[in-house]
Amino acid sequence: MRPCELTVADAAAAIASRALSPVELVESVLTRCEATEHRLHAYVTVVAPQARQDARQAEREIVEGRHRGPLHGIPYGLKDLIDVTGIPTTASSRAWAGRTPGRDSTVAARLAAAGAILIGKTHTHEFAYGLLTPQTANPWHEDVVAGGSSGGSAVAVAAGSAMFALGTDTGGSVRIPAALNGTVGLKPTYGLVSRHGVAPLSWSLDHVGPLTRTVRDAATVLGVLAGHDPSDPASTVPPAHWSAAVPADAHGLRGVRVGVPVNYCFDRVDPQVEAAVRGTVDLLAKLGATVLPVELPLVEYVEATQWGLMAPEASAVHEEALRAAPDLYGRDVRLLLEAGRHVSALDYLRAQRTRTLIRDAWTRLFEDVDVIVAPTSPITAARRGQETVRWPDGVTETVTDAYVRLSSPANITGLPALSLPVGRDSAGLPIGAQLIAAPFAESLLFRVGTAVEEHRPDAGGLAGVPRSDGIDNPQGMRHEAGPGGSSREQ
């Protein structure tokens, strides 16, 4: 196994025992990056000279006994919304071409203090306002989308050109690309991870979270990122009992109450996705969990509330720049920003009020269950250029609406949500399951997610690095129609 294929946990153990040096690890990741970037385009900017220099420094520190912890010497990627001193933050947009910040974001500063080594800045859908990341290819097949808006971060992790990466999640933009690329993606509790120095899309919905190869790795990264930051007005102080650690009894789930939605989450879902997620529920039951039906409240208001909050907030962020240079924005993003200007103050306030009702109702669910299990996305990766999905009941929705439908409730409510790979469809494309828990119950998500990961029959084969230095083409994949009867249209 090449060093770039290791998990963060395994690489950290090898570094701590001196079986692997940060220099060797960084060089392996950079080699993998060079071998795949011409096809994948996960990165906007690769800072190879600085990464090699930082690796040599990490090696010296470790040899001298100054080991900083589990991320010391571990190479990672940052979504190109997240500031690092002296490295351009472009948001994958011409509107920010040449923008170079003069100070680190809080999350970049915390990773640097932990000794993590930046490989580069990863592509995003422009200003994170979309779910495709069109510049970037999916490592499982070049003809399907990577998902977004943290598509570059998910692809870098899946392909081995980063050991972990950070993304942002406003309507599912960490979890959706995680599901589509076979990685783990975590959206923490709202306010747990600082957004200071991160380009905003929607102030009341934005989260920063890690993409990793395993649940334990996500817990390790969150342990470094989490904590109050007075520079972020939404930042919270975690409760005294909060922990990012995976509980020691993660292998057994006796006493854990698993809620399976009887409405909404399995409506208009590809049959192969549904089968994989329900199979995961069966596994949890075999591991001792109690499975209970749960009815999700106020779901008929989710889509309108998401757009009622996000559209005007995004337009407010870009108001001056859009007025000054509209042609520097991509057409899809420009149209969304212009539309958001027409949302009235009354409608925005109604969306805020509805969000409060939804959040309170969903939070009360966790009086009766501990974790909710559902699909992350109702479909796997769509074809490039595909615009709609037509379901067997005759309903047609856009690919974007399909992707965000099941992930946005956790943004509206601020609840922690974890996506992990639980299978593949007949074309070989990854399927993700989403776990949602009460505020600040990340350790419970890690407990359940780790149990799934370690007892799944195909564990270790889904979120790993594609074996060739090119891009895998599983089963000569075709996409004339979605599996199980859903039709995917241009």
Side-chain angles (χ1 to χ4, degrees):
M1 177 180 287
R2 295 167 292 187
C4 67
E5 297 181 56
L6 295 170
T7 66
V8 170
D10 288 342
I15 287 172
S17 68
R18 312 284 178 87
L20 176 68
S21 79
V23 172
E24 291 175 283
L25 181 57
V26 166
E27 204 57 51
S28 179
V29 168
L30 289 173
T31 297
R32 181 64 174 164
C33 188
E34 292 167 3
T36 59
E37 267 302 288
H38 69 289
R39 300 283 295 280
L40 296 181
H41 308 292
Y43 285 94
V44 182
T45 304
V46 175
V47 291
Q50 184 63 50
R52 290 185 172 104
Q53 179 179 319
D54 292 344
R56 291 191 293 270
Q57 178 180 334
E59 186 172 86
R60 286 194 298 270
E61 291 176 347
I62 291 168
V63 167
E64 293 169 0
R66 292 182 288 143
H67 190 261
R68 304 192 203 180
L71 295 187
H72 201 176
I74 304 296
Y76 74 100
L78 274 184
K79 186 175 182 177
D80 197 28
L81 300 178
I82 302 173
D83 285 348
V84 179
T85 303
I87 299 175
T89 299
T90 73
S92 293
S93 175
R94 291 187 300 148
W96 272 16
R99 178 185 178 273
T100 303
R103 60 180 297 184
D104 285 347
S105 60
T106 297
V107 289
R110 287 180 178 175
L111 290 172
I117 297 172
L118 180 66
I119 294 295
K121 305 292 283 296
T122 58
H123 267 301
T124 172
H125 199 113
E126 185 178 21
F127 286 110
Y129 212 173
L131 292 167
L132 300 179
T133 317
Q135 312 91 324
T136 303
N138 191 303
W140 300 106
H141 196 283
E142 61 191 273
D143 292 335
V144 300
V145 298
S149 62
S150 305
S153 290
V155 169
V157 173
S161 56
M163 304 292 291
F164 71 92
L166 297 194
T168 62
D169 193 312
T170 304
S173 291
V174 163
R175 289 161 289 151
I176 293 165
L180 271 52
N181 291 280
T183 73
V184 172
L186 172 69
K187 184 202 76 63
T189 302
Y190 184 75
L192 182 61
V193 176
S194 173
R195 303 167 305 173
H196 174 65
V198 180
L201 174 60
S202 175
W203 297 293
S204 69
L205 297 170
D206 291 346
H207 302 67
V208 175
L211 294 109
T212 60
R213 294 193 193 126
T214 70
V215 174
R216 288 184 183 276
D217 287 356
T220 298
V221 177
L222 182 64
V224 171
L225 299 178
H228 179 62
D229 176 17
S231 297
D232 179 356
S235 180
T236 58
V237 178
H241 67 271
W242 182 84
S243 172
V246 178
D249 60 346
H251 299 281
L253 297 178
R254 191 166 302 280
V256 175
R257 300 167 299 170
V258 172
V260 180
V262 296
N263 62 328
Y264 190 68
C265 284
F266 291 97
D267 298 342
R268 300 193 181 99
V269 171
D270 187 291
Q272 294 185 79
V273 172
E274 179 172 359
V277 175
R278 291 197 184 278
T280 300
V281 173
D282 292 342
L283 172 60
L284 295 175
K286 290 177 182 177
L287 294 175
T290 300
V291 176
L292 301 168
V294 60
E295 184 166 355
L296 303 178
L298 303 176
V299 289
E300 65 270 29
Y301 301 108
V302 165
E303 183 177 2
T305 302
Q306 174 76 20
W307 284 104
L309 296 169
M310 183 171 63
E313 290 183 359
S315 296
V317 170
H318 291 274
E319 181 180 15
E320 294 182 10
L322 186 65
R323 185 184 299 118
D327 293 341
L328 294 181
Y329 289 83
R331 184 175 182 275
D332 61 330
V333 172
R334 186 175 70 248
L335 290 175
L336 287 171
L337 292 173
E338 289 172 348
R341 296 168 60 186
H342 298 288
V343 177
S344 71
L346 288 175
D347 286 338
Y348 177 69
L349 291 173
R350 289 189 187 102
Q352 288 284 14
R353 182 170 180 267
T354 305
R355 185 247 293 279
T356 299
L357 296 174
I358 294 172
R359 182 183 60 220
D360 291 348
W362 277 59
T363 301
R364 286 195 297 273
L365 291 175
F366 296 101
E367 296 172 3
D368 300 316
V369 299
D370 299 307
V371 62
I372 293 170
V373 181
T376 305
S377 166
I379 58 174
T380 54
R383 293 189 317 271
R384 287 181 173 275
Q386 178 184 329
E387 295 180 357
T388 59
V389 180
R390 188 175 68 250
W391 296 101
D393 62 0
V395 171
T396 297
E397 65 181 337
T398 67
V399 168
T400 295
D401 286 346
Y403 281 147
V404 79
R405 175 159 42 94
L406 303 184
S407 57
S408 61
N411 295 91
I412 293 171
T413 59
L415 297 171
L418 178 76
S419 178
L420 71 160
V422 294
R424 300 188 201 181
D425 68 12
S426 59
L429 297 176
I431 295 169
Q434 179 177 210
L435 313 179
I436 304 173
F440 301 106
E442 279 81 3
S443 63
L444 176 61
L445 294 182
F446 298 148
R447 178 185 175 188
V448 176
T450 299
V452 171
E453 208 167 57
E454 295 184 351
H455 290 85
R456 197 178 54 207
D458 50 6
L462 289 173
V465 181
R467 297 303 304 178
S468 67
D469 279 337
I471 307 305
D472 288 356
N473 182 5
Q475 302 184 23
M477 189 188 67
R478 293 185 174 88
H479 266 282
E480 283 81 5
S486 60
S487 175
R488 301 185 176 195
E489 303 176 335
Q490 290 292 112

